[in-house]
Amino acid sequence: MFSSSKPKPNTKKKSKKSLFKRVMAWLHLWLGMASGIIVVIVSLTGCIYVFENEIKDFIEDWRFVKPQEKAFLLPSQLVTIADKKMKDKHATSVTFGGKDEAAIVGYFVEKKEEGRKGRGERAERKRDDKRKNFAKNESVKAKSDLKAQPNEKGKEKGKKGKGGRRSGTFISVYMNPYTGEILNVKTFSRGESPDFFRWILNGHRALWLPYDIGRPIVGVAVLIFVFLLISGIVLWWPTKWIKSIIDKSFKIKWDASFKRVNYDLHNVFGFYSCIFLFFIAVTGLVWSFGWWSKSLYWVTSGGTPLVENRESPKSDTTIVKAFNITTADKVLLNIKKENPQAAGIMISIPSKPADPIGAFVYKQRHTFYNMDRYSFDQQTLKEISIKTPFSGKYIEANIPDKIRRMNYDIHVGSVLGLTGKIIAFLASLISASLPITGFIIWWGKQKFGKKKAPAAKPKVASKIITAPKLKSNAAQEVSA
C-alpha cells in the first residue's frame, strides 16, 4: 500500500577553484591567523604615530613663540644659556624652526652616565680637560692620538646597546630663539619612557619587548603581511567581469546580514587599501632586515648594490686647536644665506676633536626626504663629503638615493603632505581590522560555530488506492 520514495542523487558540488587558488586560500588563512595579533598591534600603533607632530603642535604650547621682527640668537648664545640649566652637560645640537617656533638645544646622556650621577659629571669634566690638553699638545702627539682612534671607536661601540643602538637619555631644551628664555625641558629614552609617543613607537617597532627580540618578530609578521596582501588580491580577483560579480567585489551591501557585511568589509576594504598598505609594509621592512634594505635598493637602482659606508666624516685632528662654539655660528650664517627659505636648520656640535660640525637643512616642516645634509671640519669649516644615500643635497642625489631618502616619508605618508598622512592613517586602520574580520569569516564557517540543525525525517510517498464507486440502493434494485 505504501512505498518509500527513491533516494536522491548526490548533489554536492565539487569546488570549482583551481589548485593554485586553494593553496593560496590555505596559506592566506593560516599565515593570517599566525601573524594576526602582531599585525593589529603594529597597525594601531602606526595609526596613532602618523599624526605625532600634529598632535604635539596642538597640545604642547611651549613649541611655539610669538614672532618678532629681529634675528634669532646664535647657537653659541643659546648653548651658553642652556648649559647653565643642564649643569655643564655637553650640548649635541641646536635646531631652529620658523619665526613662530621655539629653538631646541639637544643633549644626549649615556646610560652609564645616568647611573653614576656624580661620576658622570666628573667624567664629563675629565673629557673637557682632555680636550684642553689635546689642544696644547704638539702635532706629533696629535698623530699618535689619531692612531688610537680605532680603540676609541671600539669603546663607543661598547657604550651602544645591541644592534648598534645608543642607549641613554635624550634631553630637549625648548628656548625662545629671540630672548633665550627656557620654555620647557623634555626628556625621553629609547627604553622605558613616560613620553606617550615614544611608548607607541616602542610598541610599533618591537611590541614593547627588547629591540633585539621584538624587532625580528615584527619584521617576520610584516613580511608575512606582504604575502597576505598579494594572496588576498589573488583570492579577491573576480572569476567573471560581469555586473553582479563586480558589485560584490567593489561594493559593500550594508543592508545584508552581519556575516555578509563582515565578508564585504574584509574583501572590499582590503582591496581598496591594498596598494597603500603594500608601500607602508615594504618601506617598514627596511628597518627590520638588512638584506631587505639592500635588495630594495638593488631593485630601485636597476642592479646597483647599496654602498653602506657606516664610517662618519672626520675632522682633521692634525690641526691642534680647541673647538670654539662660535664656529657653529659661522656655519649657521653660511647655511642661512644659501637656504633663505628653509623651514628649519639643525647644527650638530662636536664632542671630540675628530667630530665634524653637521648641518641639516629641512625644506618642509615635518618632512625629511628632501633634506640637505652637510659635514664641515670643525677647525677649517671645509666641507667633508662622504658617499652615502643621505649625504649632500637632495636635488643632486641620483634616483635610487632619492627613493631611499623618501623611505620614512612614504612609510608615514608625509611624502604627500597632510593628504598622504590621512591616507596612511585610514589604510593602517583598515589593516588593523583585516585580521579581525578574517577571523570572524573563518569562525562562521566552522562546525563548532554553528548550531546543528535537527535531522530531517525521510519523506515517504504513498500510492493512493482509489476504491470503486458504489451505486446507490435504488440503482442496485433497478439493476437487479
Side-chain angles (χ1 to χ4, degrees), residues 183-412:
L183 306 174
N184 191 39
V185 178
K186 195 167 184 179
T187 303
F188 70 90
S189 62
R190 285 195 174 102
E192 296 180 1
S193 173
D195 183 86
F196 173 73
F197 285 101
R198 176 55 52 176
W199 182 78
I200 288 293
L201 186 61
N202 288 339
H204 184 72
R205 288 182 174 176
L207 306 175
W208 299 288
L209 298 170
Y211 267 67
D212 293 330
I213 300 172
R215 179 181 280 183
I217 295 174
V218 170
V220 170
V222 174
L223 201 58
I224 292 173
F225 185 69
V226 172
F227 172 80
L228 294 176
L229 292 173
I230 298 171
S231 60
I233 288 295
V234 171
L235 299 173
W236 167 90
W237 196 263
T239 53
K240 293 181 181 179
W241 291 89
I242 57 177
K243 188 177 184 304
S244 59
I245 297 178
I246 290 173
D247 286 345
K248 290 179 181 179
S249 301
F250 291 93
K251 296 178 182 178
I252 298 174
K253 194 175 181 181
W254 295 105
D255 57 348
S257 64
F258 170 77
K259 283 186 177 181
R260 173 60 189 275
V261 172
N262 181 76
Y263 181 83
D264 286 349
L265 287 173
H266 187 81
N267 282 358
V268 178
F269 278 0
F271 166 74
Y272 285 124
S273 63
C274 181
I275 187 66
F276 303 107
L277 291 176
F278 180 80
F279 281 108
I280 292 172
V282 165
T283 52
L285 285 170
V286 168
W287 294 294
S288 295
F289 303 112
W291 61 266
W292 181 274
S293 176
K294 293 177 182 178
S295 301
L296 189 61
Y297 187 89
W298 185 85
V299 171
T300 57
S301 65
T304 303
L306 173 64
V307 179
E308 287 189 312
N309 192 348
R310 295 185 178 276
E311 186 177 351
S312 59
K314 301 289 184 184
S315 291
D316 185 3
T317 54
T318 60
I319 302 175
V320 185
K321 188 178 178 182
F323 172 72
N324 192 336
I325 187 63
T326 57
T327 311
D329 301 342
K330 297 176 184 178
V331 172
L332 175 67
L333 295 174
N334 292 337
I335 292 294
K336 271 190 170 182
K337 286 181 182 178
E338 294 181 10
N339 302 273
Q341 302 300 322
I345 298 175
M346 187 183 83
I347 305 296
S348 69
I349 300 171
S351 60
K352 301 183 185 67
D355 290 345
I357 300 174
F360 305 82
V361 182
Y362 304 96
K363 301 300 179 69
Q364 294 173 279
R365 194 165 182 267
H366 300 331
T367 305
F368 304 98
Y369 74 92
N370 55 355
M371 174 183 66
D372 295 338
R373 181 180 293 185
Y374 306 89
S375 297
F376 301 97
D377 187 286
Q378 64 172 271
Q379 302 298 338
T380 64
L381 295 187
K382 181 181 177 181
E383 186 174 350
I384 308 169
S385 61
I386 186 168
K387 182 58 181 175
T388 68
F390 300 94
S391 299
K393 296 181 179 180
Y394 171 78
I395 197 171
E396 295 176 356
N398 57 33
I399 292 177
D401 286 353
K402 285 181 178 178
I403 294 174
R404 178 47 56 95
R405 291 191 184 200
M406 289 181 180
N407 193 79
Y408 174 79
D409 294 280
I410 293 173
H411 188 68
V412 300

Side-chain angles (χ1 to χ4, degrees), residues 9-153:
N10 187 9
T11 57
K12 190 176 181 181
K13 294 181 180 179
K14 292 183 179 180
S15 176
K16 293 182 180 180
K17 291 182 180 179
S18 65
L19 177 62
F20 173 71
K21 274 201 169 184
R22 280 180 287 172
V23 171
M24 292 296 277
W26 187 86
L27 291 173
H28 188 85
L29 169 64
W30 294 110
L31 289 177
M33 297 280 274
S35 62
I37 295 176
I38 300 172
V39 170
V40 170
I41 294 173
V42 172
S43 299
L44 288 177
T45 51
C47 243
I48 298 169
Y49 197 75
V50 162
F51 290 107
E52 176 200 14
N53 292 315
E54 286 75 12
I55 294 172
K56 284 184 175 181
D57 288 347
F58 181 74
I59 64 176
E60 297 179 349
D61 55 352
W62 65 80
R63 294 160 68 94
F64 298 93
V65 297
K66 186 177 180 179
Q68 299 183 26
E69 293 299 325
K70 64 178 184 179
F72 291 162
L73 296 178
L74 295 171
S76 59
Q77 295 171 305
L78 293 176
V79 168
T80 301
I81 298 170
D83 279 351
K84 293 178 181 178
K85 173 74 175 178
M86 300 309 298
K87 297 180 180 178
D88 298 326
K89 286 185 174 64
H90 178 72
T92 55
S93 65
V94 182
T95 305
F96 295 92
K99 290 184 177 181
D100 62 340
E101 293 183 78
I104 305 171
V105 179
Y107 293 82
F108 177 73
V109 183
E110 295 283 355
K111 191 172 183 179
K112 289 182 179 179
E113 201 172 330
E114 288 177 327
R116 295 182 181 180
K117 294 182 181 179
R119 290 185 185 180
E121 293 178 3
R122 288 195 296 271
E124 185 67 31
R125 285 196 294 271
K126 284 182 180 179
R127 282 194 291 269
D128 290 338
D129 293 339
K130 190 175 180 180
R131 284 194 290 270
K132 291 176 184 178
N133 293 333
F134 183 88
K136 295 177 183 179
N137 289 336
E138 297 177 353
S139 60
V140 176
K141 187 175 179 181
K143 291 179 181 178
S144 66
D145 286 342
L146 186 60
K147 291 179 182 179
Q149 279 182 4
N151 293 331
E152 292 178 3
K153 187 176 180 181

